[in-house]
Amino acid sequence: GQLQLCLVSPSPARLSLLPYVPRVPPGALLGKVTATTFALERPCCVFDRFTNASDAVWLAVAFANASATFRNPASPADVLPYEGLPTAHAYMTLEMAAAAYACSAPGPAVLRVGGDTACGGQQGRAAYNGPLPSPGPYRVKFLVMDCHGPKAETRWSDPILLRRARSPSTIDPAPVRRSSDVVVIASILASLSAGLAVAVLGAMGAKVWGHWHRRHFGTSAFAHQSYRTHHIPPALPQPPPPGCGCCTPAPRPRGPCPAE
């Protein structure tokens, strides 16, 4: 804990309630909420008017349904430890000097709740920031304390629900079984797809075969027209008239040979 020098004086008669509400950062943030941790916005400039240099700021973490019955510790000696969460349903952590949250103080933009995994040999450490044991939901608030006790506090946050971790033993290694209806529909769609593919391929094959056949052999109609319409048989030679010594046929039939 933080060493504080404090004069003997009565505790403040009234605890100041600050209007600040802790919250998880609204924007995208890697690991913003996990199975055992969550991030909080750093409450910068929130406590300046209510704190001294020797004051400390704590974070109270409670199950959401137990936040209404949470009681602030009367003194630093009464701070609820991390190990008391299962029975007290709340604990306090992230003890920091109030100056760390001053407007002029540099620091990270977010705080990580539950980020301390070095648990060995730290039993009984009140400020231990250990992993959260269940999904929650949780509520948190900041509490300002001096050596006499609480001085100021923020409002409780909205419920913060962590992600649920899955045990490896709950994962089914077998493929997901589909219902009989789904199987039947899938079979019908597969059959329709196969039939459509065959029809398309058949039409394409017929078109290609027809094009190839026309290119090499011509269609039957074209072949018949070629030979029937444009083939003219040659004229046969006509024999000369009887008794004529001419051997060359005339272009037109000639009269009888003149008398000798």
Side-chain angles (χ1 to χ4, degrees), residues 195-213:
L196 181 61
V198 170
V200 171
L201 291 177
M204 292 179 63
K207 186 174 181 181
V208 172
W209 168 256
H211 175 73
W212 184 82
H213 189 270

Side-chain angles (χ1 to χ4, degrees), residues 60-80:
V61 181
F63 286 110
N65 59 355
S67 59
T69 58
F70 177 84
R71 295 292 178 263
N72 293 329
S75 69
D78 300 321
V79 167
L80 295 174

Side-chain angles (χ1 to χ4, degrees), residues 35-37 61 63 82 85-86 91 114 130-136 138 162-163 165:
T36 58
T37 69
V61 181
F63 286 110
Y82 167 79
L85 179 62
Y91 70 101
L132 296 165
S134 73
Y138 299 92
L162 304 188
R163 294 181 179 177

Side-chain angles (χ1 to χ4, degrees), residues 229-249:
T229 304
H230 299 287
H231 178 69
I232 301 175
L236 298 177
Q238 300 294 326
C244 179
C246 302
C247 299
T248 303

Side-chain angles (χ1 to χ4, degrees), residues 117-160:
T117 58
C119 304
Q122 300 192 35
Q123 296 293 324
R125 176 185 165 192
Y128 179 54
N129 185 28
L132 296 165
S134 73
Y138 299 92
R139 290 181 188 268
V140 298
K141 71 174 181 179
F142 290 96
L143 184 64
V144 179
M145 296 181 66
D146 61 12
C147 56
H148 299 294
K151 294 176 59 177
E153 65 180 350
T154 66
R155 299 182 183 276
W156 286 102
S157 70
D158 291 331
I160 301 172

Side-chain angles (χ1 to χ4, degrees), residues 26-246:
L29 178 66
L30 184 63
K32 180 168 63 175
V33 176
T34 72
T36 58
T37 69
F38 62 89
L40 283 178
E41 288 184 340
R42 179 169 168 260
C44 186
C45 304
V46 173
F47 312 112
D48 288 8
R49 294 173 47 197
F50 304 91
T51 58
N52 299 320
S54 60
D55 294 341
V57 177
W58 293 76
L59 180 72
V61 181
F63 286 110
N65 59 355
S67 59
T69 58
F70 177 84
R71 295 292 178 263
N72 293 329
S75 69
D78 300 321
V79 167
L80 295 174
Y82 167 79
E83 292 79 13
L85 179 62
T87 55
H89 308 299
Y91 70 101
M92 296 180 66
T93 185
L94 294 180
E95 180 191 12
M96 297 181 67
Y101 297 114
C103 295
S104 58
V110 297
L111 305 174
R112 174 68 57 180
V113 181
D116 191 354
T117 58
C119 304
Q122 300 192 35
Q123 296 293 324
R125 176 185 165 192
Y128 179 54
N129 185 28
L132 296 165
S134 73
Y138 299 92
R139 290 181 188 268
V140 298
K141 71 174 181 179
F142 290 96
L143 184 64
V144 179
M145 296 181 66
D146 61 12
C147 56
H148 299 294
K151 294 176 59 177
E153 65 180 350
T154 66
R155 299 182 183 276
W156 286 102
S157 70
D158 291 331
I160 301 172
L161 182 65
L162 304 188
R163 294 181 179 177
R164 293 184 179 274
R166 294 188 62 183
S167 172
S169 61
T170 64
I171 299 176
D172 185 4
V176 177
R177 296 178 178 86
R178 295 178 295 180
S179 66
S180 57
D181 294 340
V182 174
V183 172
V184 170
I185 293 174
S187 300
I188 293 174
L189 292 178
S191 301
L192 291 177
S193 300
L196 181 61
V198 170
V200 171
L201 291 177
M204 292 179 63
K207 186 174 181 181
V208 172
W209 168 256
H211 175 73
W212 184 82
H213 189 270
R214 286 195 304 269
R215 182 175 178 182
H216 291 276
F217 300 102
T219 61
S220 58
F222 182 77
H224 288 299
Q225 289 178 0
S226 318
Y227 287 92
R228 185 172 58 239
T229 304
H230 299 287
H231 178 69
I232 301 175
L236 298 177
Q238 300 294 326
C244 179
C246 302

